[in-house]
Amino acid sequence: LESTILRMLSESTGNILDDSLLISTLAESKKTSTAIKGRVAEAEKTELEINEAREEYRSVATRGSLLYFVIADLPNIDPMYQYSLDYYQFLFDKCLVQSEKVKDLSQRLAIIIAYATAFMYKNICRGLFERDKVLFSSLLCFSILRQRGAIEPTSWALFVRGAGPVDRNSQHPNPNPERISEFQWDLIHAAEAQVELAKSGAADGTGAADGTGGGGPRYHPFKAVPGSVSKEYSSWQLDWIDSEDPVAAPLPLGFDEDVPAFERLLLLKAFREDKLLEGMRHYVGQQLGEEFASSPAASMEEIYADLSNSTPCIFILSKGADP
């Protein structure tokens, strides 16, 4: 239209106001311009509405990506645990379709998140060896809580990597070097010096429950723990370290109220590493529910529902297993 007007202007002779064809073309261009402006405004409004709707579902997308990356890391445990992105998308689409439909959007989002988390856990557990299911549920739980800011980064680093380089000259005397190794003793001293939590974290057992960088009062949950263990080792040994169930047993000498649930795992790692997996299972049950702390039973009916002409089912039997 623009090129037509320019051509007509260049070819016009005499008074352009006498050129009825040019006048009608200009009038038509004005109508077209007005219509285009209206469509652009409508497109901008539609784009804004789409962006707002997309933002409302961001919590679902966040949980979906979190679940995927936990599953994608499973080959680090065993190279047999390979799950493609296409398969994960297929499962996640099933969650969107099968989860309960409600009109309230916030309730609908909460339903999708809860359903997808439980569905992915049960489905992936079918392909894991029994020994690895606790580790998978723990990784799932830890990832969810870290994303919420409910696990202090320093506590997580100590739990995963240990103490790192420390100054052993400033440490309290190790009360039982034959049982407590240097690395375990380093871990307790590093926890005392580095772990700092918001006070509200101790109440619900989640560590820094109000975020890791809140401006409220903070405290050191392991303050005086190394010194107490060094001076009163017999009490620690009798009441907790040698307890039949250190996971459930309260910490001695009044420390139970100060050390939240996740930080207790650091104590298990230092003094009763043989009970660490059990402690992790207990922690998952506290935070996500008992369904995530136990091995889900799978029926052939449920397995068959996930099969297709391009999705086979393969049973792997280890030596001595009863098929």
Side-chain angles (χ1 to χ4, degrees):
L1 184 60
E2 181 181 356
S3 60
T4 301
I5 293 174
L6 292 174
R7 179 180 56 79
M8 294 179 68
L9 285 172
S10 65
E11 295 177 353
S12 177
T13 58
N15 191 346
I16 61 173
L17 296 178
D18 296 334
D19 192 336
S20 59
L21 179 60
L22 177 59
I23 296 299
S24 62
T25 303
L26 290 172
E28 184 66 25
S29 69
K30 184 177 181 180
K31 292 180 182 179
T32 303
S33 175
T34 303
I36 290 174
K37 288 181 179 179
R39 291 172 186 171
V40 169
E42 184 178 348
E44 291 176 348
K45 180 181 178 181
T46 302
E47 182 182 7
L48 182 62
E49 292 174 350
I50 292 174
N51 289 336
E52 290 177 351
R54 183 170 55 192
E55 283 298 319
E56 290 177 337
Y57 281 87
R58 184 171 292 277
S59 59
V60 173
T62 299
R63 178 57 60 88
S65 62
L66 185 150
L67 294 172
Y68 171 73
F69 285 111
V70 172
I71 295 170
D73 283 339
L74 288 177
N76 295 326
I77 301 174
D78 192 301
M80 189 183 75
Y81 303 151
Q82 302 280 347
Y83 297 90
S84 68
L85 178 59
D86 289 339
Y87 179 66
Y88 178 80
Q89 288 179 320
F90 167 74
L91 294 180
F92 198 81
D93 288 343
K94 288 186 67 174
C95 295
L96 298 178
V97 173
Q98 296 177 358
S99 56
E100 181 185 357
K101 311 295 189 300
V102 293
K103 292 183 178 180
D104 183 75
L105 180 59
S106 60
Q107 186 179 358
R108 170 65 174 158
L109 297 179
I111 290 173
I112 293 175
I113 289 173
Y115 186 91
T117 305
F119 181 83
M120 292 297 179
Y121 172 69
K122 293 177 182 177
N123 190 286
I124 299 302
C125 273
R126 296 175 191 169
L128 304 181
F129 291 118
E130 196 67 29
R131 65 175 183 268
D132 296 327
K133 291 180 180 179
V134 175
L135 185 56
F136 172 56
S137 65
S138 299
L139 290 173
L140 198 62
C141 177
F142 296 152
S143 296
I144 291 172
L145 295 179
R146 289 175 65 208
Q147 187 271 328
R148 292 178 188 169
I151 293 180
E152 175 68 31
T154 304
S155 299
W156 174 251
L158 289 173
F159 181 72
V160 175
R161 304 184 184 93
V166 296
D167 180 14
R168 290 175 176 166
N169 294 325
S170 61
Q171 294 180 356
H172 295 278
N174 188 335
N176 191 350
E178 294 182 358
R179 181 168 182 177
I180 305 174
S181 69
E182 290 183 341
F183 299 104
Q184 292 170 316
W185 199 234
D186 291 345
L187 177 62
I188 295 302
H189 283 84
E192 180 187 35
Q194 299 175 22
V195 177
E196 186 181 15
L197 305 177
K199 282 193 174 182
S200 59
D204 58 12
T206 59
D210 61 350
T212 58
R218 300 175 72 82
Y219 77 109
H220 292 270
F222 293 100
K223 184 178 180 180
V225 169
S228 176
V229 174
S230 178
K231 296 177 182 178
E232 302 177 86
Y233 181 71
S234 57
S235 297
W236 278 84
Q237 184 177 24
L238 179 64
D239 296 337
W240 190 74
I241 295 177
D242 285 345
S243 170
E244 292 184 3
D245 187 9
V247 174
L251 298 176
L253 305 173
F255 287 100
D256 196 64
E257 296 181 359
D258 293 332
V259 182
F262 182 79
E263 281 64 31
R264 282 179 65 102
L265 296 178
L266 292 176
L267 292 176
L268 285 174
K269 183 175 182 178
F271 297 120
R272 288 295 301 272
E273 197 164 10
D274 59 308
K275 293 289 185 178
L276 185 56
L277 279 179
E278 184 178 337
M280 290 163 59
R281 182 189 289 110
H282 179 75
Y283 181 77
V284 170
Q286 282 183 323
Q287 304 302 322
L288 296 187
E290 288 300 323
E291 65 175 312
F292 292 91
S294 57
S295 299
S299 65
M300 277 304 303
E301 182 179 0
E302 293 174 332
I303 296 174
Y304 187 77
D306 291 337
L307 304 182
S308 68
N309 60 345
S310 60
T311 307
C313 178
I314 301 174
F315 291 92
I316 300 177
L317 303 179
S318 58
K319 184 177 181 181
D322 183 1

